[in-house]
Each structure stands twice: as C-alpha cells, then as structure tokens.
Amino acid sequence: MRWGVPVVAVAVVGAAVGAGPVIAAVQGDPSLPDRTAAQLLAEVADTARHKAPPAMSGTVVETASLGLPALPLPGGSSGSPMSLLSGSHTLKVWYGGDGRLRLALPGRMSETDVISTGAGEAWLWQSELNTATRYKVPQGAGTSGDKAVPTTLPTALPTATTPADMAAQVLKMADASTAITVENGQHVAGRAAYQLVLTPKDTSSLVKQVKLALDGDNHIPLRVQVYAKGASEPAFEVGFTQVSFSAPAPENFAFTPPAGAKVEEKTLGAEDAPSGDKGTEAGGPGFEKDAKKIRTIGQGWTTVAEVPFSLADLRGPATGNRGARQGGDPAGAVDSLLKSAKRVSGPFGSGRLIQSKLVSALITDDGRLLVGAVTPEALTEAAGRE
C-alpha cells in the first residue's frame, strides 16, 4: 500500500554501484538532470526511507498478454483475480496521507473498493455481492511509516498491481546479474520521467528486459513494462494513464454502506475468524504457515518457487471458498490450463509443463508445483535438485 519504493532499494544501490560498466549515464538531450543508474537508485532509496509518500490520485491500467489459453470466467466478473491474467484492466487510486487510501476496481456491471479511512477502520465494498465488510484496524498493527496506513488490508484485488508494487518486485532482482541503464526524455501520464532499463544476463530467464519509469520530481514509480524474449511489445504492463500529485477531496475516503447491503464486521489479525477464512487474509496466521512450505531454488531472475500442490484442491467444490467469493472459477481455469500442458519427464520424475511468454510452471506427479520466469529446461532441472 506504500507509494514510495520500499527500503529494499537500498540493497539495489549497492548492487548497482558494484555492477561497473553495465551502468550507463543518461544520453541525448535530457529533459531532466543527468543521472547515472547508481545516482538515481540512491535518490530513490533516500526518498523511500526519509519522505512520506505524497498525496495523489490517478488511474492505473494493467495490461497482460502472457499467451495463456482463454480462462473460463463468470460473466461480468472483471474483478476476479484470474480475469487480470489477460486483457486490460483499470484501477483508480486515491491517497491522502494520514492512513487514508482508496482503491477502486470497476467492472462491467460492478465495482470493488477498498477504503482505509485513517480512523482505525477499513472497508471492503463488493457491489456485485452487495456486501460491505468493515475491518477494525488495531492501533500500530500493519502500519507503514509514522501514520497508520494498513499494509495488510484484506482485499478482493490481490493481483490489481500498482506500479509501486511491481517496481518493488523488480528492484529486488536488480543485482550484479543485471545490466542497468537509464533513459531520459520519457513522459508517462504527462510527467517527465527517468526510465531504468534492467536486462537479465542469465540466458535461462524468459525476461528480455524490464523498463521502470520513475517520476522526475518525486521518484514515484509511474510505469513498469516487462518484455519477454523475442517480443517487441510488453507481455505485462502496469502504469498510470493519469496522475495528480495534489490532495484528493476528503469524501473519497468516506464510506457508508448503501441501504439494503449486507454488512459484516471483522478485526484485522483477529484469531477468532471463522474456520473457513482463518488466516487467509494477507499476512494472517494461515498465510505465514503456507509461506513456510515454499522452497526457492536459484536466485534473482531465475528463481524458481516450489510448493506442495494437489489438483484436487482446485477441482473441489467452489461454493463457499475464497475464489468463488471473488467471482473466479479455479476448477474451470485449471482444466483450461491443463489442456495446454505438455507431458514431460526427467530425473525429477514426470509431470505436466505449462509455458507462457514470461512464466513456466511444472506440476509434478509426485505432488509439487514449480513456477519461475525461466525456460522449461531450467525449470525441470530445478525440479530434480535435492
């Protein structure tokens, strides 16, 4: 939920400084002061550590063209996480400081909103279900900076990525295995911007390069574009099409459930959540437990994640589960993906391989799921490691 690049960028600065000749200075006729990658990343890190994110509002558009097969989705469920894996989707954002934040994902006939009022509460409004959930935010819990901004807000928008979210992930992978250059003269949403171009050196990565545009004045990420090898257009892009760094009107952070809406009350981090939901919210106990099951193989751009996996978990009854409440169809989606899978075998055993422009996934017959932005050969090799 933070709008500055996270403190992890400090580590990126050290890596950038040590990357030697791969770092290029701005060339051409600049519209902003010249900066090397090391200088720019240092400024970004300093801003993230010492300055509060500025008040702002804007419209973010996410576009995915991953080369996946068509996924079955209920009509009008553009708020489903699975729907965000293809096509273009719009997210509206308001940030007013002092813990006030609003995200809105409009659908064809619906809208999903997450509103943090800054008064120790947050709302989740799902018009399609006519349901409003009020979350009490314990003082000091899941906050960022010196003002209460919930960073563990339960949300129906888990993949509604903002440029800042995406930038944080990209910068985590920017180390000595990455060639980094800077382009000046860029304009995003009417703002002059620096553009960092990160190119993985490892040929096992499916990523050709990532372009990260930073606002020239306040270093807020404005756009991230991810290019797959052999492609001239981004396979994934998220960025502002309109942005204003002025304080939004206070009414944007106020919410009153409409007449007739079902209203639920919950407390973030409460241990008395219903058994079916307990720990499923981001940062909850169940989330931490599941995270411990994840094994990572490799590092940087060629990191592969491995987790215990059963197709039966996705093909079970949808009624009452989290995916159904968000309008998705996990069972139908996995069947659609499996139709495009290829049977493979090797030292790891056997399984089914699914490949898109940017991601390869291997479902092994011995109950594992391996996923990474790597070639199928690198993925199957990782599957055979002890």
Side-chain angles (χ1 to χ4, degrees):
M1 294 290 182
R2 296 195 64 183
W3 284 94
V5 176
V7 179
V8 71
V10 174
V12 180
V13 174
V17 172
V22 301
I23 295 179
V26 174
Q27 298 178 352
D29 183 17
S31 59
L32 295 169
D34 286 358
R35 294 289 186 272
T36 65
Q39 290 172 329
L40 182 58
L41 289 170
E43 292 172 3
V44 169
D46 183 68
T47 298
R49 294 183 65 184
H50 302 297
K51 297 180 181 179
M56 64 179 300
S57 61
T59 300
V60 175
V61 174
E62 177 252 13
T63 302
S65 178
L66 302 178
L68 291 170
L71 301 178
L73 297 169
S77 293
S78 61
S80 164
M82 292 183 183
S83 72
L84 300 177
L85 295 177
S86 62
S88 294
H89 304 271
T90 300
L91 176 71
K92 294 185 178 296
V93 180
W94 299 263
Y95 177 65
D98 295 328
R100 296 174 300 158
L101 174 72
R102 182 171 190 149
L103 304 176
L105 181 64
R108 186 167 56 186
M109 298 289 291
S110 63
E111 181 167 300
T112 300
D113 290 72
V114 175
I115 306 105
S116 173
T117 66
E121 68 173 9
W123 287 92
L124 169 61
W125 164 241
Q126 295 169 282
S127 68
E128 190 173 23
L129 302 178
N130 197 29
T131 300
T133 306
R134 178 178 179 266
Y135 290 86
K136 295 180 180 179
V137 183
Q139 186 174 6
T143 59
S144 176
D146 60 352
K147 298 294 184 181
V149 180
T151 57
T152 55
L153 271 179
T155 174
L157 318 176
T159 51
T161 308
T162 66
D165 296 330
M166 192 69 181
Q169 297 303 314
V170 170
L171 290 176
K172 286 180 182 179
M173 294 186 289
D175 55 21
S177 67
T178 308
I180 308 174
T181 59
V182 181
E183 297 176 347
N184 202 342
Q186 302 294 314
H187 285 82
V188 179
R191 305 279 300 184
Y194 294 105
Q195 183 159 269
L196 285 167
V197 181
L198 300 94
T199 304
K201 297 179 182 180
D202 195 322
T203 58
S204 296
S205 174
L206 292 177
V207 178
K208 179 173 71 174
Q209 60 183 200
V210 176
K211 295 183 178 181
L212 167 58
L214 301 170
D215 186 86
D217 290 334
N218 53 40
H219 302 132
I220 296 296
L222 296 177
R223 184 182 66 198
V224 178
Q225 297 171 309
V226 184
Y227 291 79
K229 286 184 175 177
S232 58
E233 297 294 328
F236 183 88
E237 177 177 354
V238 57
F240 284 98
T241 57
Q242 179 276 324
V243 64
S244 171
F245 292 102
S246 57
E251 53 264 30
N252 287 300
F253 310 106
F255 179 76
T256 301
K262 179 182 178 182
V263 179
E264 300 177 349
E265 298 273 346
K266 293 186 179 181
T267 300
L268 283 181
E271 295 296 327
D272 57 350
S275 58
D277 292 343
K278 189 172 183 177
T280 59
E281 308 296 359
F287 178 86
E288 294 174 359
K289 182 179 178 181
D290 290 341
K292 292 179 180 179
K293 298 178 182 179
I294 299 175
R295 173 193 177 202
T296 59
I297 305 166
Q299 59 185 353
W301 300 98
T302 55
T303 299
V304 172
E306 179 189 80
V307 65
F309 180 80
S310 170
L311 290 176
D313 294 338
L314 292 181
R315 287 174 167 161
T319 303
N321 67 20
R322 186 172 177 81
R325 288 199 307 274
Q326 292 179 348
D329 182 7
V334 73
D335 284 338
S336 180
L337 288 173
L338 288 176
K339 289 180 181 178
S340 68
K342 175 184 177 182
R343 291 293 305 184
V344 293
S345 60
F348 68 90
S350 59
R352 283 177 275 194
L353 178 72
I354 302 170
Q355 184 178 4
S356 72
K357 294 178 183 178
L358 282 178
V359 178
S360 297
L362 175 64
I363 304 171
T364 67
D365 293 339
D366 60 7
R368 295 177 292 154
L369 171 65
L370 293 96
V371 180
V374 297
T375 62
E377 295 76 15
L379 193 65
T380 53
E381 191 274 332
R385 294 188 194 177
E386 295 295 332

